[in-house]
Amino acid sequence: MTDPGQVAEALMAALEAEYGDALVTVGGVSWLSVHHVPIRRLVTRLVRQLLELDEVPTTTVFGAAEDLVVAGGSTSLGYVAYEVSEAGLSFLLGHGEPGQLTPDGGELAVPVQPRLEVTTAPVCAVSWSSRHAETLLPVLSDLACQGVRSTVVDMASEVDQRFPDTSEPGITVLRLPEEALGRHSDVPAQSAFRTENERTVRAGQHEIGIGRLAWLAARVLVRSAGCTQPSWSATLYVEQWLDAVLLESHSRVLLCSNDSSPLGVLAVRAAERAAADTVYVQHGAWIEGQTSSHAQRCRHVAVMGARDVRVAQAGTRRVDVRTYVVGQPRFDGLTQVDRLGQRAYLQRMLKEQTGSAPTRVVVWACQPFNEQRLLGQAEVLAEGLRNARGGWGLVVAPHPAQNAETLSPLLDVMNGVPVALIGAEVGARGCLAGGDALISASSTCGIEALLLEVPVLELALPATRTLGLADHGAAWRCESSRDIARFLTRIDESPQTVRVPTAARESICHWDGRSADAVADIVTQALSGSTTPHHSAQGTDRR
């Protein structure tokens, strides 16, 4: 049986070998380096399409180039799911030539000298999501208290994902011009991708020409999809803008929470050109096996728990990386969580939406999966709740990057279960402390629940990756509705038997309420040129 993951790896490796230098930025960054994440997503979906293909499409009449790779819907805000169309599959499998296609229009892919006013600050932080902001702001506040100034480069394309304005002395927020990420253009080196290239990679029953695959993959660079998938023209603009910021601010350390997506790659490479050190703070849970050789670029990597050290070091591109176990700065505030207030909120939501007041409440931390997968999870969860003893109610909590309205159909399968749907502005994080249990496949909220000693049920349905909390004895693995019913009943009848050992919690996430201080210590030591921060974090060399 063909392994889709291995085929995708082989295709990405062949693309890198044949066309890695076909298109580079002014700063010398390869298109496959900047856009590795969106292109890998496209290739992964393409492999699935090919392996499920019953008939080989044989389109011979082609229209516009943009018709070969089309943008589909996504349940995650800020992301566009690119798909290869039937005409695109036909092109990939040897039919037609680029000359038959109508090229895209748009702006020329040339850099623009940005105009900006930047104050001198030794630290430059980059952010383009609310998770980045929540992770980095406590660190920057701690640095400000020490007299260390910072400039925050906010590159969010969604208003609700922006770094918040702050009046705190020492922190300046600089926002990327709105027009920067809206730039579109054809790819200037499209002709460099030779469709007659003889190298092929086998995908099931099909031989994939790498030249044609490169030509299709480059279509992702034409239309800009905001901060997560900028066009090539937007990429050139952002790169020169970042160069100008680092030049004017004289920053000696770049602080980020993502160094593998397009903007993260650009930021780290800009820092390297400016001879600035780089510090990465893990903002969400890592799933072992999902990182690649393109995963980490920063020299200093601050991770949540001991188990993340191995993943960080295995996925780095650097030989001088130093890894520190510090916990998560945005979890520091959990020490002040209002459990009674969150409990009252959950009960009020259930009462208002169902008219009932269940004695037990489980919070479902949803994630931006497609509707079919979410519906399958809802059906299993509903059956488990119906069969559990204890009078359980369910609160459905959307992911911050999820459209809450897409979850409404899930409520229709909850017959016989008291269920309430809350807004994404609250989410699981805003109410999980009031629950008797939390259930999710791979939400970071599972880690927050673990730290607050709220039992976690890890939804491990077929073809669903989890955070692996259960593998460390930190959660209960649920592969069926029967497992859900059994564990919920156990929580109701013998809550003392589901407590997680301290060692298991520490392996997942170190938590002492001082993670922001620990990261700030790493930054100040990087500023001073030292490599041994004066805190309890663990540093390790990878030689």
Side-chain angles (χ1 to χ4, degrees):
M1 188 179 206
T2 303
D3 183 339
Q6 290 181 354
V7 175
E9 285 286 351
L11 288 172
M12 290 300 296
L15 279 175
E16 184 73 47
E18 296 291 321
Y19 295 103
D21 59 355
L23 188 62
V24 295
T25 68
V26 176
V29 189
S30 161
W31 68 294
L32 285 175
S33 180
V34 178
H35 291 82
H36 177 84
V37 171
I39 289 175
R40 187 182 181 85
R41 287 196 189 107
L42 175 69
V43 169
T44 298
R45 284 190 289 271
L46 173 62
V47 169
R48 294 197 193 103
Q49 284 179 274
L50 290 168
L51 296 181
E52 296 171 359
L53 202 60
D54 293 325
E55 294 184 22
V56 177
T58 56
T59 300
T60 56
V61 179
F62 295 91
E66 63 189 62
D67 294 336
L68 301 191
V69 177
V70 297
S74 174
T75 56
S76 180
L77 295 177
Y79 286 87
V80 173
Y82 285 103
E83 302 281 354
V84 176
S85 66
E86 184 174 317
L89 287 173
S90 180
F91 176 83
L92 180 66
L93 296 174
H95 300 280
E97 296 297 331
Q100 297 176 243
L101 300 165
T102 304
D104 297 289
E107 305 165 62
L108 293 176
V110 294
V112 176
Q113 180 64 46
R115 299 185 301 274
L116 41 83
E117 296 180 4
V118 184
T119 57
T120 300
V123 176
C124 178
V126 291
S127 171
W128 58 93
S129 83
S130 59
R131 282 289 175 85
H132 298 171
E134 291 168 0
T135 299
L136 299 179
L137 183 54
V139 178
L140 300 178
S141 296
D142 191 273
L143 288 169
C145 290
Q146 299 178 44
V148 179
R149 296 183 58 83
S150 59
T151 296
V152 180
V153 177
D154 179 27
M155 298 184 282
S157 49
E158 301 283 343
V159 174
D160 60 353
Q161 299 297 311
R162 287 179 178 173
F163 197 95
D165 291 315
T166 175
S167 58
E168 189 163 358
I171 301 176
T172 302
V173 180
L174 185 65
R175 304 196 190 280
L176 184 70
E178 290 185 8
E179 69 272 14
L181 293 172
R183 301 171 62 83
H184 306 303
S185 71
D186 210 342
V187 181
Q190 192 85 60
S191 59
F193 305 124
R194 305 177 303 280
T195 57
E196 71 279 6
N197 186 310
E198 295 181 356
R199 180 169 180 178
T200 63
V201 171
R202 191 163 188 81
Q205 303 299 313
H206 311 287
E207 291 290 338
I208 306 304
I210 300 306
R212 287 179 177 266
L213 177 61
W215 201 96
L216 284 179
R219 309 312 303 160
V220 173
L221 280 61
V222 174
R223 312 296 299 178
S224 192
C227 61
T228 58
Q229 293 161 220
S231 67
W232 188 246
S233 181
T235 295
L236 296 180
Y237 184 102
V238 170
E239 180 184 68
Q240 190 152 355
W241 197 81
L242 287 168
D243 281 341
V245 170
L246 289 166
L247 177 65
E248 295 295 326
S249 67
H250 301 285
S251 295
R252 305 197 308 278
V253 169
L254 178 87
L255 180 64
C256 68
S257 281
N258 183 322
D259 62 357
S260 56
S261 291
L263 297 185
V265 174
L266 291 173
V268 172
R269 292 298 297 273
E272 291 172 351
R273 289 193 296 274
D277 211 342
T278 50
V279 178
Y280 170 95
V281 188
Q282 181 186 359
H283 78 278
W286 287 337
I287 302 175
E288 195 164 1
Q290 282 195 332
T291 58
S292 71
S293 59
H294 292 260
Q296 299 295 151
R297 289 173 168 77
C298 289
R299 180 171 177 239
H300 302 278
V301 179
V303 301
M304 293 197 291
R307 71 167 185 165
D308 297 311
V309 172
R310 182 176 65 237
V311 179
Q313 294 183 344
T316 188
R317 292 172 63 88
R318 304 182 63 121
V319 296
D320 61 345
V321 67
R322 290 186 60 82
T323 308
Y324 314 87
V325 178
V326 301
Q328 167 51 246
R330 63 189 175 90
F331 293 169
D332 286 352
L334 292 177
T335 56
Q336 306 298 323
V337 70
D338 181 4
R339 292 177 183 268
L340 293 178
Q342 292 193 16
R343 180 69 176 186
Y345 171 79
L346 293 174
Q347 291 176 328
R348 186 172 70 253
M349 290 297 100
L350 283 164
K351 183 68 174 178
E352 290 177 357
Q353 296 184 37
T354 71
S356 63
T359 56
R360 294 287 191 181
V361 180
V362 58
V363 176
W364 179 17
C366 283
Q367 293 169 275
F369 297 136
N370 62 53
E371 186 175 341
Q372 183 178 4
R373 176 176 289 192
L374 286 172
L375 188 60
Q377 292 181 354
E379 290 172 344
V380 172
L381 186 51
E383 184 67 19
L385 282 161
R386 281 191 286 265
N387 293 328
R389 291 194 294 273
W392 287 85
L394 173 69
V395 171
V396 180
H399 185 276
Q402 198 167 31
N403 290 305
E405 56 268 24
T406 64
L407 302 183
S408 296
L410 305 183
L411 307 187
D412 296 336
V413 303
M414 295 288 174
N415 297 330
V417 176
V419 57
L421 173 62
I422 64 173
E425 69 280 2
V426 176
R429 190 183 187 198
C431 65
L432 62 87
D436 297 289
L438 180 130
I439 188 164
S440 183
S442 53
S443 170
T444 307
C445 287
I447 297 177
E448 296 183 55
L450 169 67
L451 299 178
L452 292 171
E453 298 188 357
V454 174
V456 179
L457 278 63
E458 207 161 40
L459 197 56
L461 302 182
T464 299
R465 288 184 181 270
T466 71
L467 297 184
L469 303 182
D471 298 338
H472 294 264
W476 304 92
R477 183 178 178 86
C478 296
E479 299 180 346
S480 65
S481 60
R482 186 174 181 179
D483 290 339
I484 293 171
R486 183 170 71 254
F487 288 127
L488 289 180
T489 298
R490 182 174 175 180
I491 291 169
D492 178 65
E493 297 179 346
S494 307
Q496 71 280 1
T497 66
V498 296
R499 291 187 179 278
V500 174
T502 300
R505 284 202 304 272
E506 281 289 307
S507 72
I508 303 300
C509 186
H510 175 70
W511 188 48
D512 60 4
R514 298 187 63 256
S515 295
D517 296 342
V519 177
D521 198 11
I522 295 170
V523 173
T524 56
Q525 294 303 315
L527 286 171
S528 68
S530 171
T531 58
T532 308
H534 303 299
H535 57 74
S536 60
Q538 173 184 342
T540 54
D541 283 314
R542 183 180 186 271
R543 302 294 181 187

